[in-house]
Amino acid sequence: MEMQKIYNFSAGPAVLAEDVLKQAAEAAVNYDGHGMSILEMSHRSAPIVDMVTETRQLIRQLLNVPENYKILFLQGGASLQFSMIPMNILKDGETVDYTETGVWSVKAIKEAQRYGNVNVVSSSRESVYNHIQKDFKQSTDQVYLHVTSNNTIYGTQWQKFPEANGFLVGDMSSDIFSRPIDVSQFGVIYAGAQKNMGPAGVTMVIIRDNLIGRSGRDLPAMLDFAIHADKDSMFNTPPVFAIYVVNRTLHWLKALGGVESMHVQNKSKAKFLYDEIERNPLFTSPILVEDRSLMNVPFIFANGGDEPHFLNYCTERGLLTLKGHRSVGGFRASIYNAMPKEGVEALVDAMQNYT
Ligand SMILES: *Cc1c(COP(=O)(O)O)cnc(C)c1O
């Protein structure tokens, strides 16, 4: 009997390329012919230092990161960056602007308030974040403007980033490597790996070097960008295995043509699904068309329906984790880079055959 093909639509931790998982499984037993598991190897051994260095180079190459930016591998998730960034950058009493586009941005705002004067310059809270409020005024004395480039829970995405008075800081946890970006617009870009670039346990930070140490605060070593940058992310033991899975994912992505070609595929996958949501009288999208995400696609029953029944029906067809976030209900299909077109086709087929 042929095993049923499974597609994982989880928002995160999320789908990884099958080839990447096979390589990771092999490395867990015998890393690159060294006769040892990668899990047992010193982060200071040459093969691991080389692998981490290469991962940094791949990121620099794939995202066109200018030379005056550092690329760090940290722990604590994107959530720690909500505080680490303002803590390292802001001097007491300085002003920053934040756009409130969902739960993650709210958390970022709350942490920044500990270190500066935070102006929430744009908010779509009153319409349950079903769009991005793009018409807003920035503070004249702003140090930076914070954006969540893709709102994982609500399914909105900045199609074009606003021009900041100071510089942009971007939480790209759920759409990093999904499309080309202009890194030079940003002072800092950060992303937890477990949505679109690898497993949980490592967080990537890309930071312009003249911002490191800007706040002048006396910081705990582990929370100080200067120390991590100085030690090439090896101040303490980094999450080597997670970085390795990122490394393999980036090789996979590069072989497929990099972020430009990923973007073409992501647009085509998302269009296929949004077209079905528009066409199918059973379903509808709660999200304003111009702000719709290519990564997370929420949809609901147009005229009510039995949600658990639809979810079970999907599960029987191997279409897993389609339940919407508890704060919005309905359904959400996360279709990150590693979700093959066939997975989206299988979902659309299920939607067409559902009665
Ligand atoms: C998942 C997510 C986070 C939180 O990431 P952690 O790594 O769990 O801290 C932050 N921002 C966005 C946009 C996310 O999708």
Side-chain angles (χ1 to χ4, degrees), residues 76-80 82 104 148 150-152 171 173-174 192 194-195 203:
S79 297
L80 180 58
F82 296 160
W104 297 116
T148 310
N150 181 73
N151 295 283
T152 324
D171 175 358
S173 294
S174 54
Q194 71 274 19
K195 274 56 178 260
T203 306

Side-chain angles (χ1 to χ4, degrees), residues 189-202:
I189 290 169
Y190 62 103
Q194 71 274 19
K195 274 56 178 260
N196 208 26
M197 64 184 287
V202 64

Side-chain angles (χ1 to χ4, degrees), residues 53-293:
T53 304
E54 194 211 24
T55 311
R56 219 181 280 116
Q57 285 164 350
L58 278 165
I59 292 168
R60 199 172 285 283
Q61 191 182 47
L62 288 164
L63 293 180
N64 253 318
V65 180
E67 280 306 316
N68 60 327
Y69 285 73
K70 296 278 186 198
I71 299 169
L72 309 177
F73 300 117
L74 305 178
Q75 300 186 58
S79 297
L80 180 58
Q81 293 314 309
F82 296 160
S83 24
M84 210 166 149
I85 290 167
M87 181 194 300
N88 276 265
I89 291 179
L90 292 184
K91 299 176 182 129
D92 282 336
E94 282 188 323
T95 296
V96 277
D97 289 344
Y98 274 67
T99 53
E100 186 192 337
T101 54
V103 162
W104 297 116
S105 68
V106 169
K107 292 189 177 177
I109 289 164
K110 222 171 137 186
E111 295 301 318
Q113 281 165 343
R114 298 175 202 275
Y115 303 99
N117 169 32
V118 177
N119 288 330
V120 178
V121 291
S122 139
S123 173
S124 52
R125 183 203 293 258
E126 284 187 357
S127 47
V128 203
Y129 306 114
N130 70 353
H131 69 288
I132 292 175
Q133 203 213 307
K134 297 181 288 294
D135 183 21
F136 59 89
K137 247 185 97 154
Q138 299 179 38
S139 312
T140 46
D141 56 347
Q142 164 207 97
V143 176
Y144 65 74
L145 171 68
H146 182 278
V147 292
T148 310
S149 66
N150 181 73
N151 295 283
T152 324
I153 294 175
Y154 303 95
T156 62
Q157 187 174 27
W158 288 93
Q159 310 302 332
K160 190 175 170 289
F161 294 111
E163 194 129 340
N165 280 348
F167 54 85
L168 283 173
V169 170
D171 175 358
M172 297 199 184
S173 294
S174 54
D175 68 352
I176 190 81
F177 295 111
S178 71
R179 56 176 173 176
I181 49 168
D182 176 5
V183 174
S184 69
Q185 269 192 294
F186 292 82
V188 192
I189 290 169
Y190 62 103
Q194 71 274 19
K195 274 56 178 260
N196 208 26
M197 64 184 287
V202 64
T203 306
M204 178 184 79
V205 174
I206 303 175
I207 180 166
R208 205 167 64 212
D209 53 16
N210 63 354
L211 296 174
I212 296 175
R214 184 182 179 281
S215 78
R217 280 199 179 80
D218 180 30
L219 298 170
M222 281 298 288
L223 299 180
D224 191 343
F225 284 138
I227 290 192
H228 290 292
D230 186 48
K231 303 287 181 197
D232 288 331
S233 304
M234 296 252 184
F235 170 67
N236 74 323
T237 318
V240 168
F241 192 60
I243 297 171
Y244 177 67
V245 180
V246 170
N247 178 291
R248 290 295 100 191
T249 299
L250 297 181
H251 275 288
W252 167 85
L253 194 147
K254 189 177 161 183
L256 289 176
V259 289
E260 282 81 10
S261 112
M262 251 329 130
H263 192 211
V264 171
Q265 291 182 41
N266 287 331
K267 282 191 282 194
S268 139
K269 284 188 294 182
K271 181 175 190 307
F272 197 68
L273 181 50
Y274 284 118
D275 283 352
E276 175 59 17
I277 294 169
E278 294 299 325
R279 185 209 62 82
N280 192 322
L282 286 180
F283 301 102
T284 187
S285 161
I287 305 305
L288 185 72
V289 172
E290 67 185 38
D291 294 332
R292 286 180 183 173
S293 166

